[in-house]
Amino acid sequence: NFDSLNVALKHHVPISTCCSGVYGSDIWGYTSAATGKEWALMCYSTGMSAVDVQTGDVVTAPGFTSPLSPWKDIKVFGHHAYYVTEALDQPGIVVFDLSGLDSDPPSISDVGPAAIDNGGGPESSHNVVVDEVSGYLYRVGGWNDNKNV
């Protein structure tokens, strides 16, 4: 139990259930435009899972693993999720198609790395931000050759 104002705990999903037993690093929401169904997108040290807010069911992208790192972030624009990490072996921004979460059974597709122009800088990022008005996505922070970016 915990005190809260205008917040209702729907489910408690143990980290071992949603996140391969490792710690979490970020959470973001996704609401399907087609069905109105809500999902919590949970980042953890080696990947990402979607948790159904109503049932607590967990969906992962098959075959997707991310380099081990405590720094992950994810944002949504439309039915795509944009995933970043500061891990040095990460291919920039990984794009997931979330439209399969409306299927039975629900699924997430790993679209793959986004084509990005990093100007010769690092491909790792600490955070990602989406301007929902313009549709622009911004990578924020990162690490390369012991220099903050």
Side-chain angles (χ1 to χ4, degrees), residues 77 129-138:
F77 186 70
V129 179
V130 176
D131 179 336
E132 294 185 8
V133 175
S134 69
Y136 283 100
L137 180 133
Y138 301 92

Side-chain angles (χ1 to χ4, degrees), residues 5 12 15 40 59 65 67 71 94 101:
L5 178 62
H12 174 252
I15 200 88
V59 178
T65 57
W71 297 287
V94 176
L101 291 173

Side-chain angles (χ1 to χ4, degrees), residues 12-26 42-45 49 58:
H12 174 252
V13 179
I15 200 88
S16 60
T17 301
C18 77
C19 305
S20 301
V22 294
Y23 55 88
S25 62
D26 188 51
M42 181 69 189
C43 295
Y44 49 93
S45 63
S49 295
V58 177

Side-chain angles (χ1 to χ4, degrees), residues 89-145:
D89 296 329
Q90 177 68 27
I93 302 166
V94 176
V95 183
F96 293 99
D97 183 349
L98 303 176
S99 61
L101 291 173
D102 291 325
S103 302
D104 186 19
S107 64
I108 301 171
S109 300
D110 177 0
V111 176
I116 59 173
D117 178 3
N118 64 2
E123 292 186 346
S124 65
S125 299
H126 180 75
N127 203 328
V128 63
V129 179
V130 176
D131 179 336
E132 294 185 8
V133 175
S134 69
Y136 283 100
L137 180 133
Y138 301 92
R139 296 168 51 224
V140 181
W143 195 262
N144 186 30
D145 296 330

Side-chain angles (χ1 to χ4, degrees), residues 4-94:
S4 61
L5 178 62
N6 300 324
V7 175
L9 178 64
K10 294 278 192 177
H11 297 280
H12 174 252
V13 179
I15 200 88
S16 60
T17 301
C18 77
C19 305
S20 301
V22 294
Y23 55 88
S25 62
D26 188 51
I27 191 166
W28 197 253
Y30 167 68
T31 302
S32 166
T35 64
K37 192 170 191 177
E38 297 177 313
W39 296 84
L41 304 179
M42 181 69 189
C43 295
Y44 49 93
S45 63
T46 58
M48 184 275 291
S49 295
V51 179
D52 184 325
V53 172
Q54 295 300 317
T55 65
D57 292 340
V58 177
V59 178
T60 58
F64 175 75
T65 57
S66 178
L68 182 65
S69 170
W71 297 287
K72 312 287 182 168
D73 193 41
I74 195 163
K75 295 296 185 294
V76 173
F77 186 70
H79 66 270
H80 288 99
Y82 300 89
Y83 174 93
V84 298
T85 178
E86 282 193 26
L88 295 179
D89 296 329
Q90 177 68 27
I93 302 166
V94 176

